[in-house]
Amino acid sequence: MALRLDRAEIIASNLANVDTPGFKARDVDYQSIMQDVQSSMTNAAETSVTAEHPLLYRVPYQPSADGNSVELNVEQAKFAQNNMDFQTSLTFLNMKINGLYSAIKGK
């Protein structure tokens, strides 16, 4: 969940700078981070965007004349997808907590 929040902040920064000349869109390789977490069997809450997983520059589909690599429609789609993934993760977490609560209550 923390990684999804970090990614939301990164994409929001890209959206905020859509009109900034020379701004380069950034993102993280979320799949790579999750593979590392899974292979090391560590807690995902302990993993964040660090030197091990630096921010990457996004290559634009259509570069702009002022050097800005932010593409509004791409960033909006990525933000929406990240939001949907976050909500899905939150739903599963709530279901797990409710299941544990029911087991404790004996219902």
Side-chain angles (χ1 to χ4, degrees), residues 53-100:
H53 303 285
L55 289 176
L56 306 172
Y57 290 102
R58 187 171 296 137
V59 177
Y61 294 105
Q62 186 174 358
S64 66
D66 66 0
N68 185 314
S69 67
V70 178
E71 295 172 306
L72 184 60
N73 56 345
V74 171
E75 298 300 327
Q76 287 174 331
K78 293 209 179 274
F79 191 83
Q81 180 64 47
N82 189 64
N83 184 43
M84 221 172 9
D85 292 341
F86 180 84
Q87 291 299 324
T88 302
S89 298
L90 189 60
T91 299
F92 283 125
L93 184 62
N94 281 333
M95 287 171 39
K96 189 169 191 158
I97 291 170
N98 287 336
L100 291 171

Side-chain angles (χ1 to χ4, degrees), residues 3-71:
L3 291 172
R4 291 280 178 208
L5 287 173
D6 287 346
R7 186 161 190 233
E9 288 178 11
I10 294 164
I11 296 171
S13 173
N14 290 345
L15 286 167
N17 288 291
V18 71
D19 293 325
T20 305
F23 184 83
K24 305 293 183 206
R26 311 228 21 213
D27 203 353
V28 293
D29 186 358
Y30 186 78
Q31 297 292 56
S32 171
I33 294 172
M34 291 309 294
Q35 286 173 352
D36 288 350
V37 168
Q38 186 178 9
S39 67
S40 66
M41 300 301 290
T42 61
N43 187 351
E46 297 172 3
T47 305
S48 64
V49 179
T50 63
E52 274 183 47
H53 303 285
L55 289 176
L56 306 172
Y57 290 102
R58 187 171 296 137
V59 177
Y61 294 105
Q62 186 174 358
S64 66
D66 66 0
N68 185 314
S69 67
V70 178
E71 295 172 306

